[in-house]
Amino acid sequence: MTVSLCVREPYRVDGDRQFRFGVVAAAAVPGIGALSPVVSSDGAAAMGGHIDDTLGNRLSRYLADGVAIDDAVEALLGAEDVASRRGRQLHGVGRSSCVTVSGRDCVAAADRDGDHYTAAGTHLPNEAALDAMVDRYTGAAFGDDPLAERLIDALTAAREVGIDSRRGDSDSDGPLTVGSAAVRVVTTESTDDRRFYNDLRVDASESPITDLETTYNAALLGYEQTVDAYGEPDAPSSP
């Protein structure tokens, strides 16, 4: 149903440590951007499997209260009944830790974790999609391009391998043809300008990842046009 990547990128501005948190996700059903990505200045997480639309808000509150993300996820899932917990996939990164959980009832599920990222998916034809996504991201991690752009590129690498056996396209005869994709990036650095390209969704499309990339390019152009027309209050490092 869902493939997703969560990342944490620390950096410094004027000697102060800052963080970029980001999530990119795609699904073979509409509306994944409204449910799966959970991103704040305290961390980034994504959900798959049986998604509870209240789980993200509760996780965000835990993180805002200073609870480590692995402890927060353990507490949230531990409070659920066994049947619900077995159907959950939840992964993410906080300021100092990461977590990956794939319940035993998640179909064709897999996950990955590193120092500053986690990746996961369900209904995967194989695990090569996760490896391709992680390899593409880690090859460009902490790069000069905006994080949102690098996340979308990583998602594109997963799509090129194949991310959902139920999706109907040129490579599969699955029953689902309409999917969705989303990217969201939050930085702890205080800025006076809104970066339009950091929070984008394609809610229903037969080519959601391609459309997300197109939407990102348009949003980046719109941001650059706005800066050219009205100026930029500050010149912070690129998120």
Side-chain angles (χ1 to χ4, degrees):
M1 179 180 186
T2 306
V3 64
S4 51
L5 173 68
C6 302
V7 307
R8 170 188 65 236
E9 292 191 350
Y11 63 103
R12 290 193 175 274
V13 176
D14 297 329
D16 295 328
R17 196 181 196 209
Q18 305 288 348
F19 292 90
R20 300 182 186 99
F21 291 105
V23 174
V24 69
V29 295
I32 195 62
L35 298 173
S36 179
V38 179
V39 191
S40 72
S41 58
D42 302 299
M47 292 178 282
H50 296 161
I51 296 176
D52 180 344
D53 59 3
T54 71
L55 197 60
N57 289 333
R58 287 182 281 148
L59 177 58
S60 293
R61 289 197 294 270
Y62 270 114
L63 297 180
D65 287 340
V67 180
I69 192 168
D70 49 342
D71 292 334
V73 168
E74 182 179 4
L76 287 168
L77 297 183
E80 294 189 322
D81 62 84
V82 174
S84 296
R85 187 164 62 246
R86 286 177 176 175
R88 305 270 190 236
Q89 185 176 74
L90 180 57
H91 69 102
V93 293
R95 293 200 178 198
S96 60
S97 62
C98 64
V99 64
T100 57
V101 176
S102 293
R104 67 174 63 181
D105 290 345
C106 291
V107 178
D111 51 58
R112 301 284 188 272
D113 67 88
D115 282 343
H116 55 95
Y117 69 85
T118 59
T122 62
H123 289 277
L124 295 167
N126 55 64
E127 297 186 19
L130 290 188
D131 294 330
M133 185 166 61
V134 167
D135 288 347
R136 182 72 61 86
Y137 166 69
T138 55
F142 303 95
D144 293 333
D145 291 331
L147 178 54
E149 181 174 333
R150 291 183 279 120
L151 289 174
I152 295 171
D153 188 49
L155 186 61
T156 298
R159 182 203 62 200
E160 291 168 352
V161 174
I163 60 175
D164 199 308
S165 58
R166 300 169 307 158
R167 182 162 173 77
D169 53 29
S170 59
D171 299 318
S172 172
D173 59 357
L176 306 179
T177 63
V178 177
S180 56
V183 65
R184 188 165 184 226
V185 171
V186 172
T187 176
T188 58
E189 186 179 356
S190 177
T191 62
D192 294 328
D193 60 324
R194 176 171 170 261
R195 305 207 167 190
F196 313 130
Y197 50 83
N198 272 342
D199 190 0
L200 301 171
R201 288 165 43 181
V202 174
D203 283 338
S205 169
E206 292 188 334
S207 54
I209 298 174
T210 298
D211 290 351
L212 182 63
E213 184 175 20
T214 300
T215 301
Y216 168 81
N217 289 331
L220 180 62
L221 176 60
Y223 172 77
E224 292 170 344
Q225 290 174 340
T226 302
V227 171
D228 288 343
Y230 302 107
E232 188 174 22
D234 302 304
S237 57
S238 170

